[in-house]
Amino acid sequence: MRLARRLLLIIVLVLLLPYGLAPLYSVGHPVSSLMAWRWLTGRPVERQWLDLAAMAPTLPSSVVGAEDAKFCGHNGIDWNSLQNAIEDAQDGEVTGGGSTITQQVAKNLFLWPGRSVVRKGLEIPLALWIDLVLGKARVLEIYLNIAEMGPSGQFGAESAARYAFGRSAANLSPRDAALLASVLPNPVTRSARNPGPGVRRLAATYMARAQAAELQRCWG
């Protein structure tokens, strides 16, 4: 009985740990669980932190337009998109999961990749907490510095921009920013450095969405 209680206590503490750590990430340069895993397994990791204010303005706008159009209006969860994703999954359709940028930050910082009902169940309340304690600007800044954005261990917009275009994310054109946003779902199979027709079409779409996102700007 004592052993069971101890195990239960350990599980509860592990589950609560991200809630204690999240407020600490209001400052500093956090790393993702995937970055840490790559370091531990000896695989390359490239990441140069760049503050949100230093990035080309079209980059966060393009990423919001591509990944989470309702970013400025929700509390960490886009409930309509989540419901649609659940209904599609029940119908056997493959979907993107309905994840917001905040959910992706929760997953990247504290959880694990892949599709899992358990992970999604942990991710949702954590995203609500992160949105509350960190705010939109910091959530977006963290996302743009920990998201995998290159084919060989490039994490964050700065490393991705230098790999794809040979210059800082502070100096991207609207098209460059849209190309980086286009590869976010899978930077291994999609390339901003050598974009194929599909990536170029997405970039054109995301350039238009960036303008709409800019009108709702909530990140300073």
Side-chain angles (χ1 to χ4, degrees):
M1 185 63 69
R2 287 183 178 179
L3 178 59
R5 288 178 180 175
R6 288 177 181 175
L7 289 175
L8 180 60
L9 178 60
I10 291 171
I11 291 171
V12 170
L13 291 175
V14 169
L15 292 176
L16 291 179
L17 181 61
Y19 292 87
L21 291 176
L24 303 179
Y25 290 158
S26 61
V27 296
H29 300 165
V31 301
S32 70
S33 56
L34 180 57
M35 292 167 66
W37 179 249
R38 288 181 68 96
W39 276 321
L40 288 172
T41 55
R43 290 187 290 171
V45 173
E46 296 178 30
R47 199 278 294 272
Q48 295 89 41
W49 184 277
L50 187 67
D51 290 345
L52 185 64
M55 296 180 188
T58 53
L59 180 57
S61 298
S62 294
V63 170
V64 168
E67 294 285 286
D68 188 359
K70 297 179 182 178
F71 177 71
C72 290
H74 61 62
N75 58 354
I77 304 295
D78 183 345
W79 297 106
N80 289 333
S81 294
L82 180 61
Q83 180 63 35
N84 291 336
I86 292 172
E87 291 174 355
D88 288 342
Q90 291 173 340
D91 292 337
E93 298 179 21
V94 178
T95 69
S99 291
T100 64
I101 286 174
T102 317
Q103 285 176 263
Q104 293 180 63
V105 167
K107 177 193 71 176
N108 289 344
L109 287 179
F110 301 116
L111 302 173
W112 60 92
R115 297 180 183 275
S116 166
V117 174
V118 172
R119 196 211 72 202
K120 187 65 71 174
L122 296 173
E123 179 185 289
I124 289 173
L126 186 53
L128 294 170
W129 176 243
I130 287 172
D131 185 84
L132 177 66
V133 299
L134 295 184
K136 298 295 184 183
R138 182 58 174 172
V139 167
L140 188 56
E141 181 173 66
I142 291 174
Y143 180 69
L144 287 168
N145 278 283
I146 66 172
E148 188 178 14
M149 299 179 73
S152 51
Q154 289 83 18
F155 288 84
E158 181 69 2
S159 293
R162 291 187 180 278
Y163 171 80
F165 311 116
R167 55 182 174 275
S168 171
N171 303 312
L172 297 180
S173 69
R175 181 177 182 273
D176 293 341
L179 285 170
L180 284 185
S182 300
V183 307
L184 271 170
N186 194 334
V188 176
T189 61
R190 297 182 184 183
S191 174
R193 188 175 187 174
N194 299 298
V199 171
R200 291 197 296 269
R201 283 194 297 269
L202 282 175
T205 299
Y206 294 159
M207 285 178 67
R209 290 187 186 178
Q211 296 176 1
E214 188 66 26
L215 294 175
Q216 304 176 50
R217 186 184 181 96
C218 59
W219 51 87

